[in-house]
Amino acid sequence: MKINPILAIDSYKLAHITMYPENITGTYLNLTPRSIRHFKKLIPAQFKYDNKIVAVGMQMAIQDIVDTFTDEFFSKPLEQTLEIYTDTIRPFIGFDEDSETKIVAEITKLHNLGYLPLEIKALPEGSLIPVQTPVMTIKFSENGFAWLQGYLETYISQNTWKTITIATVARLYRKILEFWAEKTCDNNDHITWQGHCFADRGMSGTEDATKMGIAHATQFEGSDSVHAAYAAKHIYGFKSPLFAASVPATEHQIMQLGINESSERDTILRLIKQYPIGVMSVVCDTEDYWNTLTNILPSLKEEILARTPNSLGLAKFVVRPDSGDPVDVICGTNPHYEGTTLTEQPFHTPEMKGSIEILWDIFGGTINSKGYKVLNPRVGLIYGDSITPERAYEICKRLEAKGFASSNVVLGIGSYAYNYHTRDTFGMAIKCTAAWDDKGNLIETQKVVKTDSGKKSAKGLLHVSSDFVTTDSVTPEVEATGMLQTIYKDNKKTFETDFEAIRARARN
């Protein structure tokens, strides 16, 4: 759906065009995550997180804004643009003809200029920052458009907060997996593939899913988001062929149709023969999951172990359960599990034993240098149904208690994990902290709320040091330095195009 971006606003922005004092020629705004208290609720109680926020997606948002203004506003005939604009805004300004005349005059002046007269600065993409650090500043670059910076608040906010939020949530998953890898694995080589993006279909449209996919990719390379890979190449100039990857995988309709034709065993065997090389994932709970694990897979052991490695040396049959409590399905429901250790009581049912233990019994494996069991490289397991950070932590914890390395499982991170957030997760807000008058004087402003000290804004011009310490009320000379770097000015973009560098920063 295409929309004229001059209309992508909250309605009260319309009247703001007429409300600024006449002597104000430009303003200075910043986008800042103000709070982390809602995000803290996601962090498992026993896990220590450094509370860093991943600043990413700013240039993607600006690219979208600039391109959309070019295509849907500046390149359209003025008469056509104004007809659509005035027809749309009238109910939102109370059918006030005087206000409409003044507003249309400003929109006409902008259209005649032919570009957005702004200077936008941002932190290096992937920066890890503490709360209350500005990630972007928006400043006028030409006198006479003081209204424009605040007018774009809605558009900029809705195109930035979620990318930053999801990248930070993805980093929480990564840190949990790194924590357990440190305890139970020989190395971290598996981490980049251990968190796999399953969230595409649950996002609010393709643009939303694209931003999500790029945010996820700052932390992991396992992903089903094809269009995010496409966007990364075109927005971030990603050069490597491996931005993200997945494997051939079935879903329930594939299995159901196969079962209708023959049986689940025959369907799995047919797929093994059809995809004999590399990694293949098969959903195994279309009928009776525990029967599939304990009867069908043992009967196909020879075929599974005979898989041919691909160019990366991988040849794995991946089991995918898709229902039930993921912690219990993966780790078992042994009633003697007390959270720290397992007793010597015997297992009585597959459900009590759990998937990883069953796969070990069938296919075996090795013991790593830290004394934990690692499944035969020809088999694996992925689970992607409602894997919250708490569940990810608990899965790894219970595997460790059972003597298994955390690398034995891949976790699908889906729309439940990435969609249940709002702008308030990090209190993302755009606030004006400075302005200039027609004599060139700098005017410092500040929002101070007595009923909520957390909403107190910075003051004046801002500077962010190399260690992400923010100083407000600085001089223009100091503001020109620091980590906030110009990414757009007067229709010229200076974007970073090295996504590997972005990843390196975001994964610290």
Side-chain angles (χ1 to χ4, degrees):
M1 180 175 62
K2 293 183 178 180
I3 188 169
N4 192 321
I6 204 70
L7 293 168
I9 55 171
D10 286 306
S11 65
Y12 59 82
K13 296 294 185 182
L14 294 163
H16 289 183
I17 293 177
T18 68
M19 290 180 178
Y20 286 89
E22 290 185 4
N23 68 321
I24 297 300
T25 58
T27 58
Y28 177 88
L29 288 72
N30 68 85
L31 170 67
T32 300
R34 300 179 298 178
S35 171
I36 201 168
R37 61 190 178 93
H38 291 300
F39 176 73
K40 283 185 175 181
K41 299 173 185 177
L42 297 176
I43 303 172
Q46 297 172 287
F47 183 68
K48 292 183 179 181
Y49 184 70
D50 61 11
N51 294 335
K52 293 294 178 66
I53 297 168
V54 183
V56 72
M58 295 82 73
Q59 72 183 41
M60 179 167 54
I62 300 308
Q63 177 76 62
D64 177 67
I65 291 169
V66 171
D67 287 351
T68 306
F69 263 92
T70 298
D71 296 341
E72 302 298 326
F73 178 70
F74 292 119
S75 66
K76 302 291 185 182
L78 177 59
E79 182 179 345
Q80 175 186 336
T81 297
L82 293 181
E83 181 181 358
I84 296 171
Y85 187 78
T86 55
D87 181 63
T88 305
I89 70 168
R90 282 172 185 149
F92 293 101
I93 59 173
F95 300 96
D96 184 329
E97 292 185 7
D98 183 53
S99 292
E100 180 182 320
T101 299
K102 293 177 181 178
I103 292 169
V104 168
E106 291 298 315
I107 300 303
T108 300
K109 186 167 67 171
L110 178 63
H111 190 279
N112 290 338
L113 183 64
Y115 62 88
L116 294 172
L118 303 171
E119 180 180 5
I120 298 174
K121 292 185 175 183
L123 297 177
E125 300 263 329
S127 296
L128 300 178
I129 61 171
V131 68
Q132 294 285 357
T133 305
V135 300
M136 181 190 293
T137 59
I138 307 102
K139 175 187 174 185
F140 80 106
S141 63
E142 183 164 329
N143 289 343
F145 293 96
W147 57 271
L148 181 59
Q149 297 89 73
Y151 191 90
L152 294 176
E153 176 189 354
T154 304
Y155 204 142
I156 293 174
S157 176
Q158 66 192 195
N159 280 281
T160 51
W161 73 262
K162 199 167 189 180
T163 312
I164 292 169
T165 302
I166 291 178
T168 306
V169 173
R171 182 173 181 265
L172 172 59
Y173 279 94
R174 185 179 181 91
K175 287 300 178 183
I176 290 170
L177 297 174
E178 287 177 343
F179 172 82
W180 287 106
E182 179 67 25
K183 291 177 69 73
T184 67
C185 303
D186 286 339
N187 53 58
N188 280 3
D189 293 347
H190 62 284
I191 295 289
T192 194
W193 306 106
Q194 195 174 14
H196 195 94
C197 181
F198 273 9
D200 249 31
R201 71 189 63 186
M203 306 310 288
S204 302
T206 304
E207 287 187 13
D208 188 37
T210 300
K211 293 180 177 69
M212 175 279 302
I214 287 178
H216 173 89
T218 63
Q219 304 299 319
F220 301 104
E221 283 154 57
S223 177
D224 284 357
S225 185
V226 176
H227 45 87
Y230 172 83
K233 290 177 182 290
H234 288 268
I235 296 172
Y236 288 96
F238 190 78
K239 299 297 191 298
S240 168
L242 191 58
F243 169 82
S246 190
V247 300
T250 72
E251 62 181 6
H252 286 101
Q253 65 171 316
I254 300 295
M255 303 307 295
Q256 288 162 354
L257 291 170
I259 292 168
N260 288 342
E261 288 293 317
S262 54
S263 67
E264 186 171 25
R265 184 188 186 282
D266 289 345
T267 300
I268 295 174
L269 179 59
R270 172 174 60 82
L271 293 168
I272 290 173
K273 292 179 178 179
Q274 186 176 352
Y275 292 94
I277 299 173
V279 183
M280 178 182 66
S281 172
V282 175
V283 63
C284 292
D285 66 350
T286 303
E287 290 192 321
D288 182 342
Y289 176 70
W290 298 112
N291 177 67
T292 302
L293 255 63
T294 57
N295 290 310
I296 294 177
L297 293 191
S299 73
L300 297 172
K301 179 177 179 179
E302 182 178 337
E303 289 80 2
I304 291 172
L305 294 179
R307 294 186 64 77
T308 303
N310 60 16
S311 60
L312 299 176
L314 302 174
K316 184 174 291 188
F317 179 91
V318 178
V319 174
R320 181 166 76 90
D322 192 47
S323 55
D325 183 290
V327 182
D328 290 341
V329 170
I330 293 169
C331 305
T333 60
N334 178 16
H336 302 287
Y337 174 70
E338 298 175 351
T340 56
T341 186
L342 291 172
T343 71
E344 298 301 319
Q345 297 295 326
F347 293 97
H348 296 291
T349 65
E351 292 88 343
M352 292 172 66
K353 183 171 286 192
S355 301
I356 297 299
E357 184 82 20
I358 292 171
L359 291 175
W360 172 268
D361 289 345
I362 300 168
F363 297 98
T366 58
I367 307 295
N368 67 20
S369 64
K370 295 180 180 177
Y372 291 92
K373 298 174 184 176
V374 179
L375 286 175
N376 188 311
R378 292 294 182 266
V379 291
L381 184 140
I382 185 170
Y383 201 116
D385 185 41
S386 300
I387 301 295
T388 62
E390 184 71 43
R391 281 176 167 171
Y393 185 92
E394 185 67 13
I395 287 166
C396 294
K397 177 183 176 182
R398 285 176 60 175
L399 285 176
E400 188 270 343
K402 289 167 68 72
F404 284 94
S406 62
S407 59
N408 285 301
V409 66
V410 172
L411 300 177
I413 306 173
S415 58
Y416 184 92
Y418 284 160
N419 225 17
Y420 276 66
H421 306 282
T422 72
R423 186 172 65 95
D424 293 326
T425 299
F426 289 115
M428 298 290 296
I430 295 176
K431 297 299 174 186
C432 176
T433 59
W436 287 262
D437 65 18
D438 53 11
K439 295 180 181 180
N441 297 314
L442 174 65
I443 304 166
E444 294 186 336
T445 66
Q446 185 177 37
K447 176 182 177 180
V448 180
V449 182
K450 288 187 177 181
T451 52
D452 188 348
S453 60
K455 289 188 175 183
K456 181 180 179 181
S457 75
K459 182 179 181 180
L461 303 182
L462 307 179
H463 176 271
V464 179
S465 66
S466 58
D467 55 353
F468 300 108
V469 174
T470 302
T471 305
D472 65 356
S473 197
V474 302
T475 64
E477 291 75 20
V478 172
E479 189 273 339
T481 66
M483 297 299 285
L484 287 163
Q485 299 292 315
T486 299
I487 63 171
Y488 171 87
K489 185 176 182 179
D490 294 340
N491 222 28
K492 295 180 181 179
K493 295 171 288 187
T494 52
F495 288 171
E496 181 174 17
T497 58
D498 185 354
F499 199 81
E500 286 304 320
I502 294 171
R503 274 178 165 155
R505 286 191 286 268
R507 293 180 181 182
N508 282 335

